[in-house]
Each structure stands twice: as structure tokens, then as C-alpha cells.
Amino acid sequence: MTVTGILTVTLFALNILFALVLIFISRKSASSTWAWLFVLFFLPIFGFILYLLIGRNLQKKHFVRWHAVQQEETLETFQDQKNALEEGTYEFPNAVTKKHAPLIKMNVDYNHSLLSSKNDVKILAEGKEKFRSVIEDIENAKQTIHIQYYIYKMDDIGKSIFNALVKKAKEGIEVQMMYDDLGSRTLRKKDLKKLTDAGGQVEAYFSSYFKLFNPRINFRNHRKLIIIDGRIGYIGGFNVGNEYACLDDEIGYWRDTHLRIEGNSVYNMQAHFLFDWYQARKEELTEIEQRYFPTFTVDSDTPVQIVSSGPDTDFESIKNSYIRMILSAKKYVYIQSPYFVPDEPFMHAVQIAASSGVDVRIMTPEVTDHPFVYGANSAYSGDLLEVGGRVYRYKKGFLHAKMIVIDDEVATIGTANIDVRSFSLNFEINAILYDTNLAIQCRELFEADIKESFELTKEQYDERKTWTKIRESVSRLLSPIL
């Protein structure tokens, strides 16, 4: 046998070995396994290198240090609510929460997400408004400022927030800043030195030894949180950078949605920040200081649940909340997401709702930042059109909002996209709002965005070119690993 023949046989044998490892050891879902086998078949050896970078499961043992605290959560209010829901004696704060009790109970049982009824919530749909509000609240902070972002850029917007943090740190306020090492890979230590010199603390989540390349592409911390004095919280889709304030001419208009919450639901946001903070520091979290959870009251009575998900848990709480909302809808389901690459359970839920006469509408950007994602968006949009759903492509700029609203009753806004990466690979966090007025505001935002969109009809979809159909087919096969 020639040298070329020996190499060919060796590569073929190694590829079979890699495939067997993938099937019998990795224990992935069937759809994900088939997607990876597809990659291994067409990209021998290189496909397995790609798998080592982005395909491996996260070892849950690495998260024992903060899971132990989470599982020992025995706060009296949490236990009282959990027991009351189980016994049927819970006094629901409004008619919407009573109607959607199964959703609330699911998140209490499987996500330790306490329903808080004392909250004042403001929806922020413009970047400039959001950042102006953030800086004002930072400047008024009295005790603590905790800030966490997937992407933090040290441009004009980033510097304006950073300088406000430095100023508060110099005043003796506790400032803790955390960013994802991959998402914020352009940040340098010298960019952050002013804050640490002023007494602030900075941590990178899942950092890498390589300066501009992080081999751990999966399992990123995609959460965006700010908690001020334990009573004011920001949660939603905006990262920190000029483009998010529509100050980047190349990107243009940026459409996103964020929440400013003042109330008791901020306790859950605070707890998640602290868990992530200690994980980033690789420190044991044995107890949580009470000063991070001050006692205070607000006049508004908006019920809110803060729901999280990540690769450290077996229950995909945010995805399951989405599905529960969709299947609870009687009139309409409006969904906004920059990526619509759902898994089978989510896709089945929207198809069931649409085929049952519910007005299901999905809005994504006209232009995405990844060709395979665009193909997958198109493929799954076609599936929805087949059962009477409606699909919109936002064309004013880039749509980055992650929002679902149903029946003028319940809405959720947060960091989780409609894709497998957000459902099971990244650390995400969402707020669920059980309030008619806020749900109506979300619906009105969606309806206003329709005016800046074009509707993709079934006739238009059926006329797509052969190359588009091929790209859709490949994208659909790869969708579990996009």
C-alpha cells in the first residue's frame, strides 16, 4: 500500500473512532449528534478539531461551588411561596398571575424563581435612553454597583459608563464589574486599571490564556445585568458599545429592548450576579451578605419572575417558559429574536399554536450576521408559514430584541435568543412580566416595528431560488450546533 493509501485509511479509521466517541460517550441529543456526524463526514479530522472547540459538554462538577448554595436556598419567603403553590393556598397578586399559575409554579419548582409582586418596571426600547438612565442611576448609587455584560466595548458609550463607575469607586462605593472573556475580547487589562486603582473589582468570565482567542467558544455568559444598591436592576438585550446607542454609522440603527426594574425581583438578579461573580473568581461561595439584599418598598405592584438557564443545569428553564407561554396563548403570540433557529420542542409549540387559530407572528432582522443562521431562519420561517403563522423581516436596522408577548397578559424580555445556543449552551437570564399594561406596551412595540418591516408571505417563500433551498437544507442540518 502506498503512503497516500496508508494516510487515507488512517484518517478514515480516526474519523470512525471520533464518530463513535461522539455517539456513545458525549451523550448529546439525537439532533445535535446527527449534526456533528454530518460535520465529521464532510470535514474529516478538521471536523473533530472543531468539535473539541465548540462541541464538548460542560463538566457540571466545576459548578458545585455555587450550586451547593443554590440548592440550600431555604429563605422563608421562598419556601412559603413554594408550599402555598403546591397546596393551592397561594394568594395571587392579580388575575394574570392566577391564570398563569402553571408557568409560575414551574419556574418556582425548577428554577427557584420567586414570584415578586412589588416591582416598578420600565421598558427601554432605545439605546440612548437606556444608557442615560444607567449613568444616572450609577451616579446616584449609595452602597453597591454590580455590572455584568457579555459585550463591553471601551468606546464612547463604554467609557462614559466606565468613568461613572470609577468616580463612584473613588467615593468608596463597592463596584464590581464582570464581563465575558470571549464577548468582550477587545477589552484589555490596561483599559480597566483606572477602576481597580480606584478600589473597584473586575473579573472576566471563563477567561483564556490567549489574548485575542478563546478556545472555549461555547458556554459563554450571555447575561446583561446591572444591580444598584440591591434595589434597582437592569436586564435585557443591550450590551455596552456605540452601536447599541445607534452611534455606529456602519451598523446603523439598533433596535433592542431592556428593562429597568426597581423592586424585590432585583433580589433574584443580585443572587445570579453573585453566583457568577464567585464562579469567575474561582472562589467558594459559603454565604451571601445580607447587605446585598436590603429591605425597601415600592409603590407599584407589578408581578415579576427572574428566570435563568445555562449548561450547568438539566432543566432548560427559559426555553420551557417560552413554550409554556406559547401553548397558553388563546389570542396571539408575538416573538422577536435576532435568531430564529429553534429546537424541535419549540418549533412544535409555535406550529401547534398557529394551527390552532392563535395569531402567531415572528420578527427577525432582514440581514443577519451569519449566512448559516440566515438559512436556518428562512427554513424554520417556512415551516411556520405552512401552518398559518406570519413572518416579518425588520429592515430599519438590526433587530436584537429578545421578546415574547401573549394575549395582552404575559411578556418576557431578556438575553435568550430563539436558538439552541441560548436554550442550552449559554448562561442566560430573562424577566417574565405578569401585567396587562406592560404586555400591551410590548405588543405596541411589536406593532410599531411591523411598520419598519416587510412581511414574508408563503407565496414569496415558495418562489425562492434553488440555491436558497440548498442553503436552507444545509443550515437546518447544522442548526443544533449553530
Side-chain angles (χ1 to χ4, degrees), residues 40-288:
L40 287 173
F41 179 79
F42 285 100
L43 299 172
I45 307 303
F46 175 77
F48 191 73
I49 295 173
L50 188 65
Y51 173 78
L52 292 177
L53 289 175
I54 69 174
R56 292 178 299 165
N57 292 327
L58 186 67
Q59 296 294 317
K60 293 182 174 62
K61 64 182 180 181
H62 297 316
F63 290 84
V64 171
R65 60 171 57 89
W66 67 276
H67 237 305
V69 176
Q70 192 178 44
Q71 290 171 352
E72 291 169 7
E73 186 176 10
T74 55
L75 293 175
E76 183 178 353
T77 52
F78 176 82
Q79 288 301 319
D80 287 348
Q81 186 173 111
K82 188 174 188 297
N83 293 337
L85 285 167
E86 290 175 352
E87 297 166 2
T89 59
Y90 180 70
E91 294 184 11
F92 291 94
N94 62 18
V96 172
T97 52
K98 186 174 183 179
K99 181 176 179 179
H100 294 276
L103 172 60
I104 294 169
K105 186 178 185 303
M106 178 183 71
N107 288 324
V108 169
D109 288 346
Y110 293 96
N111 200 246
H112 286 186
S113 178
L114 188 72
L115 177 69
S116 168
S117 60
K118 290 292 183 179
N119 298 284
D120 180 55
V121 181
K122 182 179 181 180
I123 299 174
L124 303 168
E126 294 287 341
K128 291 179 181 179
E129 179 189 19
K130 183 253 182 174
F131 295 123
R132 184 166 53 246
S133 178
V134 164
I135 292 175
E136 181 178 345
D137 283 331
I138 288 175
E139 290 174 343
N140 292 327
K142 300 295 188 294
Q143 293 182 323
T144 60
I145 303 170
H146 296 159
I147 178 170
Q148 172 181 7
Y149 277 94
Y150 174 65
I151 297 174
Y152 195 108
K153 295 183 178 180
M154 202 60 77
D155 50 20
D156 294 337
I157 289 295
K159 287 178 181 177
S160 65
I161 295 175
F162 185 76
N163 290 336
L165 295 174
V166 172
K167 181 174 181 294
K168 299 306 291 187
K170 289 179 178 179
E171 294 175 6
I173 304 300
E174 178 185 283
V175 177
Q176 295 179 342
M177 175 182 176
M178 179 166 45
Y179 60 92
D180 184 84
D181 193 62
L182 180 64
S184 303
R185 56 189 173 275
T186 60
L187 272 185
R188 299 168 297 177
K189 288 186 178 180
K190 69 176 185 178
D191 294 331
L192 306 167
K193 192 173 184 298
K194 283 175 60 178
L195 181 56
T196 54
D197 287 347
Q201 297 174 286
V202 179
E203 292 293 340
Y205 200 88
F206 277 0
S207 59
S208 169
Y209 293 110
F210 304 99
K211 187 174 181 180
L212 293 177
F213 173 70
N214 193 316
R216 196 181 314 195
I217 298 175
N218 283 340
F219 316 125
R220 307 315 312 179
N221 199 313
H222 197 238
R223 294 168 182 161
K224 296 102 175 163
L225 291 173
I226 300 178
I227 302 98
I228 297 172
D229 293 336
R231 61 178 294 160
I232 297 173
Y234 287 84
I235 183 173
F238 281 106
N239 288 293
V240 175
N242 283 350
E243 63 263 43
Y244 308 106
C246 305
L247 298 177
D248 189 313
D249 293 335
E250 184 177 341
I251 294 177
Y253 185 76
W254 189 279
R255 171 69 182 86
D256 218 325
T257 308
H258 223 81
L259 298 174
R260 180 191 186 274
I261 302 176
E262 183 172 5
N264 292 336
S265 66
V266 177
Y267 293 162
N268 271 21
M269 297 164 64
Q270 181 77 286
H272 282 291
F273 175 88
L274 292 171
F275 292 147
D276 287 349
W277 177 259
Y278 279 90
Q279 176 62 37
R281 292 171 68 90
K282 299 180 174 61
E283 292 182 3
E284 189 78 25
L285 178 55
T286 55
E287 66 175 312
I288 298 176

Side-chain angles (χ1 to χ4, degrees), residues 146 352 481:
H146 296 159
I352 289 169
I481 61 176

Side-chain angles (χ1 to χ4, degrees), residues 212-434:
L212 293 177
F213 173 70
N214 193 316
R216 196 181 314 195
I217 298 175
N218 283 340
F219 316 125
R220 307 315 312 179
N221 199 313
H222 197 238
R223 294 168 182 161
K224 296 102 175 163
L225 291 173
I226 300 178
I227 302 98
I228 297 172
D229 293 336
R231 61 178 294 160
I232 297 173
Y234 287 84
I235 183 173
F238 281 106
N239 288 293
V240 175
N242 283 350
E243 63 263 43
Y244 308 106
C246 305
L247 298 177
D248 189 313
D249 293 335
E250 184 177 341
I251 294 177
Y253 185 76
W254 189 279
R255 171 69 182 86
D256 218 325
T257 308
H258 223 81
L259 298 174
R260 180 191 186 274
I261 302 176
E262 183 172 5
N264 292 336
S265 66
V266 177
Y267 293 162
N268 271 21
M269 297 164 64
Q270 181 77 286
H272 282 291
F273 175 88
L274 292 171
F275 292 147
D276 287 349
W277 177 259
Y278 279 90
Q279 176 62 37
R281 292 171 68 90
K282 299 180 174 61
E283 292 182 3
E284 189 78 25
L285 178 55
T286 55
E287 66 175 312
I288 298 176
E289 296 182 48
Q290 189 58 43
R291 67 189 178 95
Y292 293 135
F293 304 90
T295 301
F296 63 95
T297 59
V298 295
D299 294 331
S300 183
D301 295 322
T302 302
V304 177
Q305 269 187 312
I306 303 298
V307 181
S308 65
S309 63
D312 55 307
T313 63
D314 295 321
F315 198 79
E316 298 174 342
S317 293
I318 293 180
K319 182 191 81 172
N320 292 337
S321 295
Y322 285 170
I323 291 173
R324 181 74 212 190
M325 286 176 60
I326 292 166
L327 295 179
S328 298
K330 300 295 187 293
K331 300 176 183 177
Y332 74 84
V333 177
Y334 291 173
I335 301 171
Q336 285 183 320
S337 176
Y339 313 114
F340 184 62
V341 192
D343 61 3
E344 288 187 10
F346 186 95
M347 194 64 215
H348 289 163
V350 293
Q351 287 175 314
I352 289 169
S355 60
S356 301
V358 177
D359 180 10
V360 178
R361 305 187 187 193
I362 291 177
M363 185 182 295
T364 60
E366 179 183 20
V367 179
T368 65
D369 51 2
H370 193 295
F372 284 113
V373 169
Y374 183 86
N377 275 351
S378 181
Y380 289 109
S381 295
D383 291 346
L384 181 61
L385 291 171
E386 287 289 341
V387 291
R390 301 178 71 177
V391 176
Y392 296 89
R393 298 282 189 254
Y394 187 79
K395 56 185 175 64
K396 182 179 179 180
F398 189 74
L399 177 72
H400 193 250
K402 305 99 165 48
M403 181 185 78
I404 299 179
V405 57
I406 66 166
D407 292 355
D408 286 358
E409 293 176 350
V410 182
T412 180
I413 292 170
T415 68
N417 298 306
I418 310 298
D419 61 14
V420 174
R421 187 165 298 278
S422 281
F423 289 165
S424 60
L425 296 179
N426 286 342
F427 296 89
E428 308 281 2
I429 191 162
N430 274 40
I432 302 179
L433 314 174
Y434 301 89

